[in-house]
Amino acid sequence: MPSKLKNDRFIKALLRQPVDKTPVWMMRQAGRYLPEYRATREKAGDFVTLCQTPDLACEVTLQPLERYPLDAAILFSDILTIPDAMGLGLKLIESVGPKFDNPISSLADIKNLPMPDPEEDLGYVMDAVRLIRKELDGSVPLIGFAGSPWTLATYMIEGGSSKDFGKIKKMLYQEPDSLHLLLSHVAKAVSQYLNAQINAGAQAIQIFDTWGGVLSTPAYHEFSLAYMKQILDELQREHDGEKIPVILFTKGASGWIEDIANTGCDAVGLDWMQEIGQVRSKIGYRVALQGNMDPAILKSNPEVIRNEVASILESYGEGSGHVFNLGHGITPDIDPENAGAFINAVHELSKQYHTK
Ligand code: CP3
């Protein structure tokens, strides 16, 4: 069936089909580096209300697309909507980060966790997806997302961001069965949530495993990768006759890329710690690769940014299967002009790699 998208470069690259230039989007592309985002957040009152108000979530999703020729939109929301819907009470505290009023501290807490109904309890997310699809009107695809069970569990047990992950690691080594119970509950909730996003109109999915890299290799396999695999097995991989590509992104996964590529995902998201060309030669064409410029390079200037884009494109080499992105989210201190220079450099410099 022919694609209804006006720009389907992102989906094609994920499926390793030919493209005219390398598609690009940025993790956290809707965010505080944009003055218009800060103005909308002000209007909402606070971050959680912004996420929960579909009109405003739609507005901030579209803001970066009005400025830049991005090849995909990403739903504006947060990975912590699921634990919030399980009753943990999410707040975002300025210059501290996310906090839960009721973190998990015992096996009894885990056993009492409800299973959120995506349309009932997270209907505001599905409403935002439907509204964004309507507003995009087929211009570019919409990415839906969720956190990995491991990454969500870190916030649920630590109660917020953490430096050493002391509480969850104590549970992992001392009470592994309790942690498995939590992870399988969260994995089920994530699968249902992502399937609801797909039914509402999300055209690709990314799973963010921000904290998988703090685990040992065996612990990563047992407590993070296994649950992402469970989600992949439970996801609806087609909707309305179109494939729904899935990207797995684990930050700090340099040693595990082959294992991630073997889960059945369509693409692996890379942080900036490894060279994309080396990863490509190691894993071949099993999956597409997404990444992987160090977001800190956006602090420099358009010339430095352009050179770095050129060297990543050269490292990946000829052909499709590459979605350009940063190796992690864009930070609030970035000059929007530099983000524009990054996106334009990808489009201009990548054409020569797609001539066949
Ligand atoms: O990419 C996008 O534009 C979509 C929006 C998006 C947000 N969070 C908005 C947000 C996405 C995909 C996320 C995912 C997310 N949330 C992750 C995984 C990705 C990553 O960055 O590793 C994580 C770990 C979270 C949890 C979270 N939410 C943290 C740790 C914080 C505070 C840190 C920070 O950047 O301030 C948030 C808040 C948050 N989520 C903001 C945004 C735009 C900043 C909120 C604000 O002050 O306006």
Side-chain angles (χ1 to χ4, degrees), residues 28-30 32 37 41 47 77-78 92 155 208 210 328:
R28 293 286 184 95
Q29 65 191 20
R32 285 163 296 175
Y37 168 83
R41 193 187 60 177
F47 173 72
S77 187
D78 199 84
L92 188 76
Y155 289 97
F208 286 90
T210 307
H328 198 207

Side-chain angles (χ1 to χ4, degrees), residues 318-341:
E318 292 280 324
S320 187
H322 181 203
V323 171
F324 217 113
N325 205 314
L326 305 172
H328 198 207
I330 185 170
T331 50
D333 58 332
I334 298 306
D335 181 343
E337 296 266 337
N338 283 357

Side-chain angles (χ1 to χ4, degrees), residues 289-356:
L289 298 176
Q290 178 175 277
N292 70 338
M293 193 175 93
D294 183 349
I297 289 168
L298 295 180
K299 295 178 202 277
S300 65
N301 60 58
E303 199 191 326
V304 173
I305 293 165
R306 201 176 162 87
N307 288 336
E308 189 66 23
V309 166
S311 88
I312 292 171
L313 286 169
E314 196 195 325
S315 172
Y316 185 82
E318 292 280 324
S320 187
H322 181 203
V323 171
F324 217 113
N325 205 314
L326 305 172
H328 198 207
I330 185 170
T331 50
D333 58 332
I334 298 306
D335 181 343
E337 296 266 337
N338 283 357
F342 163 67
I343 290 150
N344 290 334
V346 174
H347 281 160
E348 280 169 40
L349 301 173
S350 64
K351 286 183 198 139
Q352 58 180 304
Y353 296 100
H354 301 285
T355 50
K356 284 190 197 122

Side-chain angles (χ1 to χ4, degrees), residues 106-107 110 157 171 175-184:
S106 65
L107 178 58
I110 295 171
I157 290 174
M171 185 187 275
E175 271 183 83
D177 293 347
S178 304
L179 186 55
H180 278 303
L181 192 66
L182 174 61
L183 292 167
S184 61

